[in-house]
């Protein structure tokens, strides 16, 4: 489930925004909202797992790379690897749930 409506970034966006615009995470955080730890689209959230561990992009990178370099997702996909659907850091992965507001 998404972060409660009470937690938004400085522009009023919720975690769903970062699933379609992961390149902006961290730039709009505020006191009650930290996209990198709360939102699946930014590599945060709860119980998000990348799929599958053996697949790599054209340069041999696994999903972990995209958690620290989300601006590159989709640029290095190949036949067995699609970052946008496989990696939590790109809004993909399996069974991801955005972290509830803890503020």
């Amino acid at each position: 489930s998404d972060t409660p409506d009470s937690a938004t970034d400085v522009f009023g966006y919720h975690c769903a925004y970062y699933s379609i615009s992961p390149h902006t995470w961290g730039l709009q955080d505020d006191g009650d909202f930290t996209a990198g730890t709360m939102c699946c689209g930014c590599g945060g959230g709860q119980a998000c797992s990348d799929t599958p561990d053996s697949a790599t992009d054209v340069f041999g990178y696994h999903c972990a790379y995209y958690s620290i370099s989300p601006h590159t997702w989709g640029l290095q996909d190949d036949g067995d690897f699609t970052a946008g659907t496989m990696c939590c850091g790109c809004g993909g992965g399996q069974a991801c749930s955005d972290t509830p507001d803890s503020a």
Side-chain angles (χ1 to χ4, degrees):
S1 63
D2 286 332
T3 302
D5 290 341
S6 61
T8 60
D9 67 15
V10 296
F11 296 110
Y13 293 118
H14 303 280
C15 283
Y17 169 78
Y18 295 95
S19 293
I20 58 171
S21 297
H23 59 281
T24 62
W25 72 270
L27 301 176
Q28 302 166 176
D29 292 350
D30 63 15
D32 73 339
F33 189 87
T34 306
T37 58
M38 296 174 76
C39 304
C40 297
C42 301
Q46 297 175 333
C48 185
S49 61
D50 298 323
T51 58
D53 291 334
S54 60
T56 60
D57 68 14
V58 296
F59 297 110
Y61 292 118
H62 297 275
C63 284
Y65 169 78
Y66 294 94
S67 291
I68 59 171
S69 297
H71 60 280
T72 62
W73 73 272
L75 302 176
Q76 301 167 173
D77 292 350
D78 64 15
D80 74 335
F81 186 87
T82 306
T85 58
M86 298 172 72
C87 304
C88 296
C90 302
Q94 292 181 342
C96 193
S97 176
D98 294 326
T99 304
D101 179 16
S102 60

